[in-house]
Amino acid sequence: MKIIYSPVHKKHNPSFEVYDGEKSAYPEVPDRIETILAALKKEKLGTVLSPQSFSLDHIEKIHHRNYITFLQKKSASLNSNANFFASYFIMDTYAPLTNGTFLAAKKAVDTALTAAELVKNGERLVYALSRPPGHHAGYVNMGGYCYFNNAAIAAEYLSQFGKVALLDIDYHHGNGTQQAFYQRDDILYVSLHVDPNKKYPYISGFASEDGIGKGKGYNKNYPLPLKTTEKVYAETLTKALVDIHTFHPVFFIISAGFDTYVNDPIGSFQLSIPFYQTIGKLLAGLQLPTLVIQEGGYCVADLGSMAVQLIKGLQSPEVS
Ligand code: SP5
Ligand code: ZN
């Protein structure tokens, strides 16, 4: 396996989020990616490569030019300890802009695009250690710890070469990714996530949202109960994999969040560390060129173990 990583993500390190009007600790910390990288290296699961630099044109396919310019200019204008919250382009209080945010977010996109290009060129499995994450970022807004939609930009890139299935297994619904492809029939978006009636992002992720125009039927949401068990998760994932198999994609992208873990400080599901290997095995059953892109997951102490289990599962197909 190839692992794509750059230390530039550390330049994005907000000092707080605002929750119900009060400051609270920012859970999306640089150590998340550092601990995953260290665990993958320790288990010798792959070769680490640095991302190449791609043109902003790739980002412009998913985000409005004025949004990209705002993110770039505003970020550069901030002093090193500022956290900027309020703008037309910011949809909630979980995505503060800081001085290093643009540089880190652009590198997270480069990380995903470098991985996508390797998959396009025949690699079977590539892991993009993108940070900040991306799946909540929409056409004109950042939110939910996300700035540029790394997975959507990678999917758009790969769609030039064949149909793409994007499976989102973060605890939260990927509202930004759904929005990007809601009218498309060449990119299937399938997501398993907590019931949006109960948790963030609240406004999307309902089972009734199934696409519009020629995109009708190419968006699939599987909202799950707050205390979802491994049994229910595995049954639901099996249904999602039937959707993907039926679509006959050429490429498979996984928006991989580890906030479904039982001890995650934000999530509420009941998945254990070994269960991530079960997930990996189920996904490997598709036998498709696969791009894993990091999304959320906030139990920093155990993120490395979850990533290792997921990759071990992806490398050992249940069906051959
Ligand atoms: C990529 C991703 O997983 N984004 C998740 C964004 C969810 N943010 C909302 C959760 C806010 C939790 N903060 C609670 C602090 C209580 N004092
Ligand atoms: Zn999440």
Side-chain angles (χ1 to χ4, degrees):
M1 178 177 70
K2 299 281 194 293
I3 299 161
I4 317 301
Y5 166 83
S6 162
V8 171
H9 76 86
K10 294 180 207 166
K11 292 186 183 292
H12 172 69
N13 191 12
S15 28
F16 60 92
E17 65 177 6
V18 176
Y19 182 75
D20 200 18
E22 305 286 339
K23 286 186 184 183
S24 66
Y26 200 69
E28 202 288 284
V29 294
D31 267 359
R32 297 176 54 249
I33 290 297
E34 296 302 303
T35 194
I36 292 173
L37 176 70
L40 296 171
K41 276 185 175 171
K42 186 162 176 243
E43 295 279 330
K44 300 198 188 328
L45 287 173
T47 315
V48 182
L49 303 175
S50 296
Q52 295 164 257
S53 187
F54 286 80
S55 145
L56 290 174
D57 293 355
H58 296 280
I59 303 180
E60 252 188 62
K61 299 231 165 74
I62 296 297
H63 299 285
H64 193 284
R65 180 194 297 256
N66 294 12
Y67 171 71
I68 302 168
T69 304
F70 168 77
L71 180 35
Q72 183 165 22
K73 297 274 160 63
K74 189 73 200 178
S75 183
S77 78
L78 295 168
N79 66 43
S80 62
N81 54 4
N83 292 262
F84 181 84
F85 282 90
S87 160
Y88 170 78
F89 296 114
I90 307 183
M91 69 175 154
D92 60 38
T93 54
Y94 308 125
L97 262 181
T98 70
N99 176 256
T101 300
F102 174 78
L103 288 176
K106 167 65 166 60
K107 197 65 80 175
V109 170
D110 285 340
T111 298
L113 284 171
T114 300
E117 192 172 48
L118 285 166
V119 168
K120 180 210 122 191
N121 290 337
E123 288 286 335
R124 201 194 75 81
L125 182 62
V126 186
Y127 193 168
L129 292 183
S130 294
R131 179 183 172 274
H135 76 154
H136 297 305
Y139 188 56
V140 292
N141 33 44
M142 57 196 81
Y145 316 149
C146 301
Y147 300 83
F148 290 138
N149 197 319
N150 309 309
I153 293 162
E156 166 63 30
Y157 170 82
L158 281 175
S159 74
Q160 301 171 91
F161 311 104
K163 290 201 296 181
V164 178
L166 202 167
L167 174 69
D168 191 330
I169 56 170
D170 188 277
Y171 171 78
H172 304 95
H173 179 244
N175 56 288
T177 313
Q178 167 172 296
Q179 179 194 57
F181 305 127
Y182 210 58
Q183 303 188 50
R184 300 264 299 255
D185 62 0
D186 59 333
I187 300 175
L188 173 71
Y189 179 68
V190 184
S191 180
L192 273 68
H193 49 265
V194 69
D195 181 355
N197 285 306
K198 305 279 192 222
K199 291 283 180 181
Y200 188 88
Y202 305 109
I203 49 158
S204 77
F206 302 96
S208 56
E209 296 162 5
D210 64 351
I212 50 176
K214 71 175 160 45
K216 185 94 177 159
Y218 297 92
N219 190 90
K220 289 274 206 173
N221 284 325
Y222 290 97
L224 294 164
L226 279 176
K227 302 251 160 139
T228 294
T229 60
E230 292 180 351
K231 182 172 181 289
V232 167
Y233 198 90
E235 286 166 2
T236 312
L237 185 57
T238 300
K239 286 186 209 166
L241 293 178
V242 172
D243 299 333
I244 291 170
H245 182 75
T246 308
F247 178 67
H248 296 298
V250 175
F251 303 108
F252 182 38
I253 301 180
I254 304 164
S255 261
F258 297 121
D259 35 10
T260 48
Y261 176 46
V262 62
N263 292 329
D264 190 275
I266 293 177
S268 61
F269 288 178
Q270 298 179 354
L271 312 191
S272 68
I273 290 171
F275 187 72
Y276 289 89
Q277 183 163 160
T278 305
I279 293 176
K281 283 182 178 169
L282 288 168
L283 303 185
L286 288 170
Q287 297 186 290
L288 289 166
T290 300
L291 167 50
V292 181
I293 302 183
Q294 191 61 49
E295 298 286 358
Y298 308 99
C299 181
V300 176
D302 293 334
L303 283 178
S305 304
M306 288 181 259
V308 164
Q309 292 306 312
L310 181 71
I311 297 306
K312 282 186 173 172
L314 280 167
Q315 289 181 336
S316 60
E318 204 161 61
V319 280
S320 55

mmCIF file of all heavy atoms in Angstrom, residues 135-136 170-172 259 296-298, ligand 2:
data_model
loop_
_atom_site.group_PDB
_atom_site.id
_atom_site.type_symbol
_atom_site.label_atom_id
_atom_site.label_comp_id
_atom_site.label_asym_id
_atom_site.label_seq_id
_atom_site.Cartn_x
_atom_site.Cartn_y
_atom_site.Cartn_z
ATOM 1 N N HIS A 135 -15.431 16.211 4.342
ATOM 2 C CA HIS A 135 -16.760 15.847 3.824
ATOM 3 C C HIS A 135 -17.908 16.784 4.187
ATOM 4 O O HIS A 135 -18.960 16.698 3.567
ATOM 5 C CB HIS A 135 -17.087 14.378 4.127
ATOM 6 C CG HIS A 135 -17.463 14.080 5.534
ATOM 7 N ND1 HIS A 135 -18.272 13.001 5.865
ATOM 8 C CD2 HIS A 135 -17.133 14.681 6.700
ATOM 9 C CE1 HIS A 135 -18.424 12.985 7.169
ATOM 10 N NE2 HIS A 135 -17.747 13.976 7.704
ATOM 11 N N HIS A 136 -17.708 17.696 5.149
ATOM 12 C CA HIS A 136 -18.760 18.695 5.440
ATOM 13 C C HIS A 136 -18.625 19.960 4.591
ATOM 14 O O HIS A 136 -19.549 20.772 4.558
ATOM 15 C CB HIS A 136 -18.745 19.090 6.923
ATOM 16 C CG HIS A 136 -19.049 17.967 7.854
ATOM 17 N ND1 HIS A 136 -20.195 17.206 7.747
ATOM 18 C CD2 HIS A 136 -18.351 17.452 8.908
ATOM 19 C CE1 HIS A 136 -20.182 16.281 8.694
ATOM 20 N NE2 HIS A 136 -19.087 16.401 9.406
ATOM 21 N N ASP A 170 -17.741 7.851 7.937
ATOM 22 C CA ASP A 170 -17.612 8.738 9.103
ATOM 23 C C ASP A 170 -18.937 8.679 9.882
ATOM 24 O O ASP A 170 -19.997 8.419 9.311
ATOM 25 C CB ASP A 170 -17.333 10.165 8.620
ATOM 26 C CG ASP A 170 -16.991 11.136 9.733
ATOM 27 O OD1 ASP A 170 -17.930 11.671 10.367
ATOM 28 O OD2 ASP A 170 -15.795 11.365 9.976
ATOM 29 N N TYR A 171 -18.877 8.948 11.170
ATOM 30 C CA TYR A 171 -20.071 8.957 12.048
ATOM 31 C C TYR A 171 -21.108 9.988 11.583
ATOM 32 O O TYR A 171 -22.316 9.793 11.769
ATOM 33 C CB TYR A 171 -19.602 9.273 13.463
ATOM 34 C CG TYR A 171 -20.669 9.537 14.504
ATOM 35 C CD1 TYR A 171 -21.372 8.480 15.096
ATOM 36 C CD2 TYR A 171 -20.950 10.842 14.930
ATOM 37 C CE1 TYR A 171 -22.320 8.728 16.081
ATOM 38 C CE2 TYR A 171 -21.889 11.085 15.920
ATOM 39 C CZ TYR A 171 -22.579 10.024 16.490
ATOM 40 O OH TYR A 171 -23.515 10.262 17.468
ATOM 41 N N HIS A 172 -20.604 11.081 10.997
ATOM 42 C CA HIS A 172 -21.495 12.163 10.551
ATOM 43 C C HIS A 172 -21.800 12.054 9.063
ATOM 44 O O HIS A 172 -20.978 11.576 8.286
ATOM 45 C CB HIS A 172 -20.828 13.523 10.799
ATOM 46 C CG HIS A 172 -20.415 13.757 12.221
ATOM 47 N ND1 HIS A 172 -19.137 13.504 12.668
ATOM 48 C CD2 HIS A 172 -21.119 14.192 13.290
ATOM 49 C CE1 HIS A 172 -19.061 13.808 13.972
ATOM 50 N NE2 HIS A 172 -20.251 14.219 14.370
ATOM 51 N N ASP A 259 -14.871 8.144 14.016
ATOM 52 C CA ASP A 259 -15.704 8.653 15.121
ATOM 53 C C ASP A 259 -16.912 7.743 15.385
ATOM 54 O O ASP A 259 -17.763 8.054 16.221
ATOM 55 C CB ASP A 259 -16.124 10.123 14.924
ATOM 56 C CG ASP A 259 -16.393 10.519 13.494
ATOM 57 O OD1 ASP A 259 -16.443 9.618 12.625
ATOM 58 O OD2 ASP A 259 -16.579 11.727 13.231
ATOM 59 N N GLY A 296 -13.027 12.083 9.914
ATOM 60 C CA GLY A 296 -12.960 12.370 11.351
ATOM 61 C C GLY A 296 -12.447 11.212 12.202
ATOM 62 O O GLY A 296 -11.866 10.239 11.698
ATOM 63 N N GLY A 297 -12.738 11.285 13.523
ATOM 64 C CA GLY A 297 -12.235 10.308 14.496
ATOM 65 C C GLY A 297 -11.417 11.052 15.531
ATOM 66 O O GLY A 297 -10.396 11.645 15.191
ATOM 67 N N TYR A 298 -11.855 11.044 16.795
ATOM 68 C CA TYR A 298 -11.309 11.979 17.794
ATOM 69 C C TYR A 298 -10.768 11.325 19.054
ATOM 70 O O TYR A 298 -10.318 12.018 19.954
ATOM 71 C CB TYR A 298 -12.372 13.048 18.095
ATOM 72 C CG TYR A 298 -12.850 13.645 16.789
ATOM 73 C CD1 TYR A 298 -14.045 13.232 16.189
ATOM 74 C CD2 TYR A 298 -12.030 14.529 16.091
ATOM 75 C CE1 TYR A 298 -14.420 13.710 14.941
ATOM 76 C CE2 TYR A 298 -12.396 15.009 14.842
ATOM 77 C CZ TYR A 298 -13.590 14.590 14.275
ATOM 78 O OH TYR A 298 -13.933 15.045 13.041
HETATM 79 ZN ZN ZN B 2 -17.384 12.871 11.754
#
